Amino acid sequence: MPDRRPFTAAAAMADAARPAPLTAAALRERIAARADLREDQRRARLSAVNTLARVAGLPADLVMLTPQALRRSFLERSAAACGLSRGSKANVTSLLRAALADAGVIDAESTPPPADPVAADWANAMVRLPPRGGIGLTRLCRFCAARGIAPAGVTEATFTAFRDYVTTRTLVGNVREACKTARRAWNRACRAGTGWPGQELTRRRRRHDYILPLSAFPPAFQADLAAFGKRLAATAFDDPFSDLQDAAGEAATVPPRPLKPKSVALRQDHCRWAASAVVASGVPITEITSLASLVTPLERAGNALRFVYRHAGAKAAAADPDSKAPDTQGQGKASAAGMHIAEALMMIARHVARLPQPDIDRLRKWGRTMRLDYRGMTEKNQRSMAEALDPAHDAALLALPQALLEAAYAMLPHNPVKAARLAMRAVSIALLLRVPLRLGNVHAQRLDRHLLRPGRGRAGFSAIHVPAAETKTPEPIDMWVSPALSDMLTAWTRDFRPIVAQPGCVWLFPGQAGAEAPITPQAFRDAVADTTEEWVGVRLTPHQFRHLAAHRCLAAREGEYETVRQLLGHATIETARRSYASTDQIAAVRRFDEVLNGKQRSGGPGRSRAVPPATAGGKPRYCGGRRTGH
């Protein structure tokens, strides 16, 4: 992306003075030129740099060796994604850490000498902790001791500086998790009651987090929001003579079709987000006494949307400091949260506050700025699909369920609980590959309700049925279960599920809460994503398996969006076409390539040779159809 910063002489001098990042090629030269390294050390470090360049898929002179760049290309990726074993990836990381510390790119994490008084204070504090109480504090201890910060002097500013240090001067893969672990360990040490010489720090909220809990708002607003939810769930029997009334005491309008409880809760959450944005824009929270108070006066809604728009831009700039796009440098950015807040404010203005049409039009104009274009998949999903459909990854993914199940059977006699967890992952991925249901429908499958058997006395499973009341669209789901999937479900329910399921549990994937609940959506999502990342090298969430199914269908049968619609349970074919429009362009390029290949085979005008035939002396015999050699 081109640099759109305004040109100034000071900016030009600053750019010229900033040293160029070290590249893999330059690091190779530095390692080869060092005379103090043993030959085995030199070979090991050069091999690590070469491995890094191979994993990045770029020439060595284009592989930047800054900590931020290394996290994106190597550290944050799983060993399988890098084409390495866990041990090999750890070895390469260790060798790179030593080479980059010698080159001054990162700091060597060395412990200060014991004679240093600050280091002695930290050592004395650490020995007071209970066993394993210092886990997570070692890096923070070294950071503070090297900078003369005693335990009693640690403040919030210390942790801010520590985060910057970990980000820019270490090869820690997950900076956020490392800093969170250090903060949690610090507070745990302060609460241990062993005389830790420091003060407990408050729990840090997420950056730019402005959304307040419902309990923070006045009781009048909470009551009005509850009445709004009741109105959204109203049926045709809740006529104007019922107890549904708006703030003015008039009969409340109800939607043409009652919303499901999950959708009602989502709309109420969006209204709470909108109220939080109004408060963040400068309105005292004591004035938020009803939903109508969010849009009256109308400037409140405008200021709230302006705040959310700029907040999204600041958040995007913080997430990607290298981005120079103008919409992430203080001007704002459209976001999903902003779009939902704009929709909630529009709903409130029309049906609750009943504002005049000119005000509705102004609010609609503001809302267009917040709107995201959902045509096609996001860039993140497109990258995931490209990686997953790579032939090597695709073959590994299709073979993964059977490989996991075989590993689970081998582990069963020695560690049955761990074997059951591995088998659950095998069946989950097999289910998502064959029957790409939504996360809300797949994690909560019931053996007595959703999974159908072929007949009396027959083993296995024949179909999956989800009633319309439990689906996103008002249509039921009926999916055929293949023999291969039926065999895996049978193995899971017969040999592994009884290990983790309590008596009376009807859930296909039992949760830890006992027989009353299935596995949580987040736990199911993490199990699937972590397993595909570790074993295949591509991190795929349950929802991305739906994208993968659509791509496979359209690759085999171009343009058959009706098949995709029925497979994924979309309400209309336009939804499927809009979501996967990029596959049409891919198919068009593929067909065009076939046209060119046909011309080459037929010897037509498009015929060409990638490498001209060479003479015995190595020089091309022909160039452009004209003899140039003997």
Side-chain angles (χ1 to χ4, degrees):
M1 182 174 293
D3 191 344
R4 297 187 176 91
R5 293 175 298 173
F7 176 81
T8 61
M13 293 177 63
D15 289 342
R18 187 181 298 114
L22 185 69
T23 65
L27 183 60
R28 268 195 317 218
E29 294 177 0
R30 293 175 66 99
I31 295 172
R34 288 192 55 176
D36 57 334
L37 291 177
R38 299 194 311 269
E39 189 59 30
D40 60 331
Q41 292 178 325
R42 191 189 324 278
R43 286 198 304 268
R45 293 189 182 186
L46 288 174
S47 175
V49 176
N50 292 335
T51 300
L52 177 65
R54 178 180 59 80
V55 170
L58 295 171
D61 58 342
L62 296 181
V63 179
M64 300 297 143
L65 298 184
T66 63
Q68 296 90 330
L70 286 172
R71 287 188 187 97
R72 289 191 293 266
S73 63
F74 184 72
L75 297 175
E76 293 179 348
R77 300 175 65 184
S78 67
C82 297
L84 305 170
S85 65
R86 288 185 177 181
S88 297
K89 185 172 184 289
N91 188 44
V92 170
T93 303
S94 178
L95 291 168
L96 286 174
R97 184 177 287 112
L100 293 177
D102 291 343
V105 176
I106 62 174
D107 292 341
E109 298 185 9
S110 57
T111 304
D116 184 81
V118 177
D121 290 344
W122 278 99
N124 294 331
M126 294 288 281
V127 298
R128 300 178 192 172
L129 295 176
R132 300 177 61 85
I135 295 177
L137 280 175
T138 304
R139 184 175 283 108
L140 177 66
C141 170
R142 292 173 176 171
F143 168 80
C144 293
R147 287 155 182 79
I149 304 174
V154 173
T155 63
E156 191 66 50
T158 306
F159 273 88
T160 301
F162 176 68
R163 184 185 183 91
D164 293 339
Y165 160 76
V166 174
T167 302
T168 60
R169 301 297 299 178
T170 72
L171 289 189
V172 172
N174 192 330
V175 174
R176 180 180 178 183
E177 189 62 30
C179 295
K180 186 191 299 183
T181 300
R183 176 182 289 269
R184 191 181 297 126
W186 172 269
N187 287 338
R188 188 169 55 245
C190 293
R191 295 191 299 265
T194 57
W196 180 263
Q199 297 296 323
E200 183 176 356
L201 300 177
T202 58
R203 183 179 179 182
R204 187 171 184 177
R205 299 177 66 187
R206 291 178 298 173
R207 193 170 188 177
H208 306 304
D209 188 4
Y210 63 92
I211 297 177
L212 302 173
L214 184 60
S215 58
F217 292 93
F221 176 81
Q222 299 181 37
D224 195 30
L225 186 61
F228 179 67
K230 184 178 179 182
R231 192 181 314 166
L232 293 176
T235 66
F237 295 103
D238 296 307
D239 55 27
F241 297 100
S242 69
D243 58 350
L244 289 176
Q245 295 181 345
D246 60 14
E250 301 179 1
T253 58
V254 298
R257 180 169 58 89
L259 301 185
K260 297 178 181 179
K262 187 175 181 180
S263 298
V264 171
L266 190 62
R267 296 291 187 273
Q268 288 177 312
D269 279 343
H270 294 166
C271 292
R272 177 171 59 88
W273 298 358
S276 302
V278 171
V279 173
S281 66
V283 178
I285 196 171
T286 55
E287 296 184 11
I288 309 299
T289 56
S290 65
L291 289 174
S293 64
L294 303 181
V295 295
T296 52
L298 189 64
E299 284 68 23
R300 285 187 176 181
N303 292 334
L305 292 175
R306 184 179 295 107
F307 166 81
V308 175
Y309 184 66
R310 292 177 176 174
H311 158 267
K315 190 173 181 180
D320 187 7
D322 297 332
S323 174
K324 301 179 180 65
D327 60 345
T328 61
Q329 296 294 330
Q331 296 189 19
K333 181 177 175 60
S335 62
M339 184 174 63
H340 294 320
I341 290 174
E343 292 173 351
L345 291 173
M346 176 63 72
M347 191 183 306
I348 293 169
R350 293 182 61 186
H351 302 294
V352 178
R354 299 183 181 179
L355 297 182
Q357 191 60 40
D359 289 348
I360 298 293
D361 294 338
R362 288 183 65 193
L363 189 56
R364 182 179 291 109
K365 182 179 179 181
W366 293 336
R368 292 195 191 103
T369 307
M370 316 297 293
R371 189 179 304 165
L372 288 174
D373 184 11
Y374 280 116
R375 179 170 295 276
M377 294 188 300
T378 63
E379 183 178 351
K380 179 180 178 181
N381 283 333
Q382 288 176 346
R383 287 197 303 267
S384 297
M385 292 304 101
E387 293 178 0
L389 292 172
D390 175 79
H393 289 156
D394 195 23
L397 184 61
L398 293 175
L400 180 59
Q402 188 62 34
L404 292 175
L405 191 62
E406 292 175 0
Y409 271 115
M411 193 183 299
L412 186 58
H414 313 289
N415 194 335
V417 174
K418 190 173 182 180
R421 292 173 181 168
L422 197 61
M424 189 275 287
R425 285 162 168 76
V427 176
S428 301
I429 294 173
L431 192 62
L432 291 167
L433 282 170
R434 303 278 181 172
V435 186
L437 297 172
R438 291 183 175 89
L439 176 59
N441 295 127
V442 71
H443 85 95
Q445 290 281 309
R446 291 174 59 118
L447 292 171
D448 62 343
R449 180 178 177 86
H450 303 115
L451 290 164
L452 307 182
R453 296 185 180 272
R456 181 182 301 177
R458 298 178 61 185
F461 299 89
S462 60
I464 293 176
H465 170 74
V466 182
E470 302 177 21
T471 64
K472 182 178 180 180
T473 57
E475 295 183 2
I477 294 176
D478 291 286
M479 293 283 191
W480 173 70
V481 172
S482 67
L485 179 57
S486 176
D487 291 343
M488 296 207 70
L489 289 169
T490 301
W492 161 249
T493 55
R494 181 190 62 208
D495 300 332
F496 297 97
R497 183 179 174 277
I499 300 173
V500 294
Q502 296 185 6
C505 179
V506 297
W507 306 103
L508 177 63
F509 303 119
Q512 295 183 354
E516 294 79 12
I519 185 174
T520 63
Q522 188 60 46
F524 185 88
R525 182 184 186 278
D526 290 344
V528 170
D530 292 345
T531 303
T532 55
E533 183 178 26
E534 179 181 355
W535 290 71
V536 179
V538 182
R539 188 174 182 84
L540 292 174
T541 64
H543 193 77
Q544 287 175 328
F545 274 86
R546 292 169 57 81
H547 297 324
L548 191 61
H551 275 72
R552 283 180 171 146
C553 282
L554 294 173
R557 300 178 179 273
E558 296 177 7
E560 290 195 7
Y561 288 98
E562 177 59 22
T563 302
V564 174
R565 185 195 74 79
Q566 295 186 19
L567 177 66
L568 302 185
H570 290 155
T572 64
I573 192 173
E574 183 57 32
T575 302
R577 193 185 304 276
R578 183 176 64 251
S579 300
Y580 305 108
S582 61
T583 58
D584 288 339
Q585 189 174 25
I586 295 174
V589 174
R590 187 184 299 116
R591 289 193 297 270
F592 179 65
D593 187 68
E594 293 173 356
V595 171
L596 294 182
N597 290 337
K599 285 183 173 293
Q600 287 180 325
R601 287 191 296 269
S602 65
R607 184 179 181 182
S608 63
R609 292 181 182 269
V611 180
T615 63
K619 296 182 179 180
R621 180 174 296 175
Y622 295 97
C623 181
R626 184 172 301 174
R627 185 180 298 272
T628 59
H630 298 66

